[in-house]
């Protein structure tokens, strides 16, 4: 990793190169060269982020949350920004421990009875080691990499520059979110805050009958945790990112054998199939959004472990890891967000337009599509010149870029009104959708989420008797409307089953929605969206 002053100089030089490149080459007469221009810029930004690692990967992922509306080369590059990194050497681990605890991980006066010098996982800002407490329990020890905390403010300053660049080049309204994102990323570097987040989530899960027992949050050992070291319960199981291992564990793969990461699961097959896993997952994150107002912002497959339930060994339990990044949403926003979801599925377009307008959003049907992650149109959409969708087939690359910029400006016309929480909620929902998609769409994600949204409105506090009765009536009417969504889902499952039976490539419900969304992005923005970009 470069010295912080060198990093700043490198960023400024790259900003200068990119600005000049666009100034000289983003011209009508060079329309045929614009794809190569986007390719050069994407490569420069990607190399800048990956060469510095650490918080820059997190920053790139924050930018990548809007990748679907960026030029195709940007989509391809930011889609490869995985949160993994080489391990730091053990002497660096020792220095962190001595700084935080005044002693080594092991030894006569060590913190632990045993400590594996080789990390079991390494990401951009921390790595995890397995250890055993002197009382006998096995634990996971998350250790922050030394350079991350030293350079955080420099890195966030670079993030500010990069977001300014994107707003300047693409007229994408993103700079308004810099302070909100930066504040939450700072919190992610405080492992004591992560410990508090985990404890808060565990309390929420314990009080929700539909999730208690089905979801587990690893116990935090506060006495062995500091701002840069977090010690939590060690959990054996299969990560959701291990698709073949998950299918074997859930009895949906005929191959039975030892799992390479956990031989103790040899021959274990749990009940409920993939549907049981995804039902719990979608309900968990729906509860966070609509009932608790406390949302985990990074539910990617590597942060989810499936294991046999400790008391009911034939059934799965979902273990949620990495509680560094949460967003808290207020009661007023939560109520509006739930109303928005119910209105979207009930085709109550007046309510949708009222809510989105109050949030400074000028294209409610585009926002509705981004929320549901399926195309939504509550009026016949035609382009401003009346030529309909065929316009995007005739314009050149320069005109298409200008059209996209104009529509993005109209989409978010007042950033001061926009609830910043939507930035992280959108990322959460895209990742949950991706989890469902890669497992073959075993559940109707939209229906489950919408049910939680509607039901949460019936339990809102401070309602009068007549208001609560009205909400229950609306909820009952909504459930009748939702029957049509179920029909669409099961029709998709039938097509998927028939294709599998015929030996053809199967396509799940989420795959169909993604294909429709890619077409929608092409028509609405003139953007050529890469396959899989909506996976989050």
């Amino acid at each position: 990793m470069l010295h912080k002053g060198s990093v700043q100089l490198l960023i400024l030089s790259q900003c200068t190169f990119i600005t000049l490149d666009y100034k000289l080459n983003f011209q009508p007469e060079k329309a045929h060269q614009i794809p190569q221009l986007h390719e050069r810029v994407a490569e420069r930004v990607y190399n800048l982020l990956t060469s510095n690692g650490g918080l820059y990967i997190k920053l790139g992922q924050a930018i990548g949350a809007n990748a679907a509306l960026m030029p195709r080369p940007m989509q391809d590059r930011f889609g490869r920004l995985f949160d993994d990194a080489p391990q730091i050497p053990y002497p660096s681990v020792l220095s962190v421990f001595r700084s935080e605890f005044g002693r080594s991980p092991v030894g006569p006066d060590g913190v632990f009875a045993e400590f594996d010098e080789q990390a079991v996982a390494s990401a951009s800002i921390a790595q995890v080691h397995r250890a055993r407490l002197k009382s006998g329990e096995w634990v996971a020890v998350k250790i922050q990499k030394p350079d991350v905390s030293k350079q955080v403010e420099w890195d966030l300053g670079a993030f500010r520059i990069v977001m300014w660049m994107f707003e300047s080049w693409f007229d994408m309204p993103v700079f308004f979110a810099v302070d909100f994102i930066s504040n939450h990323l700072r919190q992610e570097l405080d492992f004591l805050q992560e410990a508090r987040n985990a404890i808060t989530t565990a309390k929420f899960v314990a009080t929700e009958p539909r999730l208690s027992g089905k979801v587990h949050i690893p116990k935090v050992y506060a006495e062995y945790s500091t701002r840069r070291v977090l010690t939590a319960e060690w959990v054996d199981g299969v990560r959701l990112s291990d698709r073949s291992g998950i299918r074997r564990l859930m009895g949906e793969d005929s191959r039975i054998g030892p799992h390479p990461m956990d031989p103790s699961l040899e021959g274990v097959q749990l009940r409920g199939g993939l549907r049981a896993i995804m039902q719990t997952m979608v309900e968990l994150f729906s509860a966070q959004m609509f009932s608790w107002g406390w949302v985990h912002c990074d539910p990617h497959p590597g942060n989810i472990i499936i294991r046999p339930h400790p008391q009911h060994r034939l059934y799965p339990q979902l273990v949620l890891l990495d509680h560094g990044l949460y967003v808290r949403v207020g009661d007023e926003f939560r109520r509006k967000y739930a109303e928005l979801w119910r209105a979207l599925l009930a085709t109550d377009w007046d309510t949708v337009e009222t809510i989105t307008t109050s949030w400074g959003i000028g294209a409610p049907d585009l926002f509705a599509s981004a929320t549901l992650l399926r195309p939504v149109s509550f009026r016949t959409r035609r382009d401003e010149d009346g030529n309909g969708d065929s316009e995007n087939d005739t314009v050149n690359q320069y005109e298409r870029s200008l059209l996209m910029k104009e529509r993005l400006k109209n989409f978010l016309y007042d950033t001061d009104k926009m609830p910043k929480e939507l930035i992280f909620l959108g990322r959460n929902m895209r990742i949950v959708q991706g989890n469902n998609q890669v497992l073959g769409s075993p559940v109707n994600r939209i229906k489950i989420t919408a049910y939680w949204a509607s039901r949460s409105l019936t339990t809102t506090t401070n309602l009068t008797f007549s208001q609560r009765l009205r909400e229950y009536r609306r909820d009952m009417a909504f459930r009748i409307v939702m029957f049509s969504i179920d029909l669409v889902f099961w029709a998709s499952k039938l097509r998927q089953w028939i294709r599998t039976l015929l030996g053809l490539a199967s396509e799940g419900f989420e795959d169909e929605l993604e294909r429709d969304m890619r077409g929608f992005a092409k028509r609405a923005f003139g953007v050529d969206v890469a396959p899989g970009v909506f996976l989050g």
Side-chain angles (χ1 to χ4, degrees), residues 379-419:
R379 61 180 61 86
T380 302
R381 289 193 56 83
R382 298 185 64 82
D383 293 321
E384 289 75 12
D385 63 359
N387 291 331
D389 295 338
S390 62
E391 177 188 5
N392 286 316
D393 296 327
T394 59
V395 298
N396 61 37
Q397 289 287 342
Y398 179 80
E399 293 167 332
R400 181 172 294 174
S401 296
L402 293 181
L403 178 63
M404 181 183 72
K405 290 180 182 181
E406 186 61 31
R407 288 179 174 172
L408 285 172
K409 285 181 182 178
N410 294 334
F411 174 72
L412 192 55
Y413 69 87
D414 190 343
T415 56
D416 290 337
K417 290 182 178 179
M418 178 186 168

Side-chain angles (χ1 to χ4, degrees), residues 192-208:
L192 290 178
Q193 179 63 48
E194 180 173 347
R196 290 189 290 268
N197 292 346
I199 293 169
T200 298
T201 305
K203 290 177 179 177
F204 275 126
V205 169
T207 57
E208 174 50 67

Side-chain angles (χ1 to χ4, degrees), residues 355-376:
I355 293 174
T356 54
T357 300
S358 73
W359 289 347
I361 295 167
D365 43 356
L366 296 181
F367 179 77
S369 301
T371 299
L372 294 180
L373 293 170
R374 73 165 194 179
V376 173

Side-chain angles (χ1 to χ4, degrees), residues 285-455:
F285 292 106
S286 297
Q288 291 183 0
M289 285 185 285
F290 300 117
S291 295
W292 309 339
W294 176 249
V295 185
H296 186 292
C297 297
D298 200 14
H300 68 76
N303 283 339
I304 295 169
I305 290 176
I306 305 300
R307 69 171 182 178
H309 192 290
Q311 283 76 48
H312 309 285
R313 300 289 295 175
L314 294 178
Y315 295 92
Q317 186 179 66
L318 185 152
V319 182
L320 182 62
L321 308 177
D322 196 351
H323 300 273
L325 185 58
Y326 274 78
V327 62
R328 187 182 292 278
V329 296
D331 291 342
E332 178 64 18
F333 170 80
R334 185 156 46 96
R335 180 184 61 78
K336 279 192 173 184
Y337 195 55
E339 287 179 352
L340 175 72
W341 264 84
R342 186 169 68 184
L344 285 172
L345 275 300
T347 64
D348 178 4
W349 307 131
D350 288 340
T351 298
V352 173
E353 196 148 10
T354 297
I355 293 174
T356 54
T357 300
S358 73
W359 289 347
I361 295 167
D365 43 356
L366 296 181
F367 179 77
S369 301
T371 299
L372 294 180
L373 293 170
R374 73 165 194 179
V376 173
S377 179
F378 36 99
R379 61 180 61 86
T380 302
R381 289 193 56 83
R382 298 185 64 82
D383 293 321
E384 289 75 12
D385 63 359
N387 291 331
D389 295 338
S390 62
E391 177 188 5
N392 286 316
D393 296 327
T394 59
V395 298
N396 61 37
Q397 289 287 342
Y398 179 80
E399 293 167 332
R400 181 172 294 174
S401 296
L402 293 181
L403 178 63
M404 181 183 72
K405 290 180 182 181
E406 186 61 31
R407 288 179 174 172
L408 285 172
K409 285 181 182 178
N410 294 334
F411 174 72
L412 192 55
Y413 69 87
D414 190 343
T415 56
D416 290 337
K417 290 182 178 179
M418 178 186 168
K420 309 303 185 293
E421 297 88 342
L422 287 171
I423 299 167
F424 289 115
L425 292 188
R427 172 178 166 78
N428 175 294
M429 298 193 72
R430 283 195 294 276
I431 296 177
V432 171
Q433 180 216 17
N435 292 339
N436 193 37
Q437 184 173 347
V438 297
L439 293 180
S441 308
V443 300
N444 187 341
R445 167 188 54 86
I446 293 176
K447 174 186 172 182
I448 297 169
T449 307
Y451 274 170
W452 274 84
S454 183
R455 188 178 184 278

